[in-house]
Amino acid sequence: MTDAAARPRFKKVLLKVSGEVLMGDQGYGIDMKTVDNVAAAIADVAKSGTQICLVIGGGNIFRGLSTAAAGMERASADYMGMLATVMNALAMQNALEKLGVYTRVQSAIPMAAIAEPYIRRRAVRHLEKGRVVIFAAGTGNPYFTTDTAAALRAAEMGCDALLKGTSVDGVYSADPKKDKSATRYDQLTYQDVLSRNLKVMDAAAIALMRESGIPIVVFSIREEGSLRRVLNGEGTFTVINDAA
Ligand code: UDP
């Protein structure tokens, strides 16, 4: 008999992994050891029956906004940022498949030779079949971020939660790396995040999750076993929802 409390609290989730996480302790690029660790955590929950899809950032390789600030046309710089997310997605696909997990990469910018195009109903079907779907190239549009892409895909897939895997174990009142008095919130409302301008995800992503009623869970993906604990409603994290 399965203990009810041990059953995953969330059955279908979207995990947003920022490029910064995949960089590990390097200053730039993809740290394959970190990618392998994140893949192992994903494989663990996928094999136990949770439907899981991913949106991967690209900030470890290229950020449109900072390059635009250095004089490049914003839209072109953003397309380069989206291409960076495709590189990260392929690295994650490779790491997951080494662990025997079936995956599909779907790109918002068609790239027939290396990924499926994004097709919502097809992605839903992959998830039902137990495949991990990795959404690449963000929303496919400049002026957006992969946070917005994560919110959009979480809503489109009908996920129970948007999990934001970061290098900190939740949302703090100030940057815990700089301010020793910073405290971690257990729970916040979407409105708290927007009005206090807390740096969780960009405002468009928060607003979309509020409209769709999908909770956002912020946790540290660097801690071993944290993804599984979050799915079980255990461990340390901040949940953002509309609960009182
Ligand atoms: N980007 C974009 N549209 C999108 C998603 C991403 O133009 O829908 C570009 C944007 O330039 C961004 C870069 O891709 O800076 C990398 O994504 P992001 O900064 O969100 O990655 P993360 O911070 O999660 O690593």
Side-chain angles (χ1 to χ4, degrees), residues 16 18-19 57-59 62-64 78 81-82 138-142 144-146:
K16 160 77 205 285
S18 68
F62 200 90
R63 245 180 235 289
D78 279 342
M82 287 183 259
T139 63
N141 301 294
F144 286 91
T145 64
T146 52

Side-chain angles (χ1 to χ4, degrees), residues 8 13 15 17 21-22 32-54 92 95-101 132 163 165-166 219-232:
V13 293
L15 173 65
V17 183
V21 165
L22 299 184
M32 278 318 291
K33 196 171 162 8
T34 307
V35 177
D36 285 342
N37 289 343
V38 176
I42 295 165
D44 174 44
V45 300
K47 285 177 179 170
S48 59
T50 304
Q51 292 187 31
I52 182 162
C53 50
L54 315 174
M92 182 55 75
L96 283 167
E97 295 208 326
K98 276 195 294 185
L99 298 169
V101 178
V132 174
L163 312 181
T166 68
F219 72 106
S220 167
I221 196 151
R222 286 184 156 215
E223 280 165 38
E224 215 188 316
S226 59
L227 179 59
R228 173 173 282 277
R229 284 195 293 279
V230 165
L231 290 174
N232 290 334

Side-chain angles (χ1 to χ4, degrees), residues 16-21 56-60 62-66 74-75 77-85 88 137-149 164 202:
K16 160 77 205 285
V17 183
S18 68
E20 192 198 342
V21 165
I56 316 258
N60 55 323
F62 200 90
R63 245 180 235 289
L65 201 56
S66 38
R74 171 77 190 266
D78 279 342
Y79 280 117
M80 290 173 73
M82 287 183 259
L83 294 178
T85 73
N88 285 334
T139 63
N141 301 294
Y143 301 98
F144 286 91
T145 64
T146 52
D147 279 354
T148 316
K164 173 143 176 157
D202 56 57

Side-chain angles (χ1 to χ4, degrees), residues 2 25 40 53 98 104 110 119 127 141 144 149 158 177 187 191 201 211 219 228 234:
T2 328
D25 294 323
C53 50
K98 276 195 294 185
R104 293 289 186 274
I119 299 172
L127 289 176
N141 301 294
F144 286 91
K177 286 175 188 155
Q187 194 264 335
Q191 191 54 37
M201 297 188 111
E211 236 170 71
F219 72 106
R228 173 173 282 277
E234 299 160 4

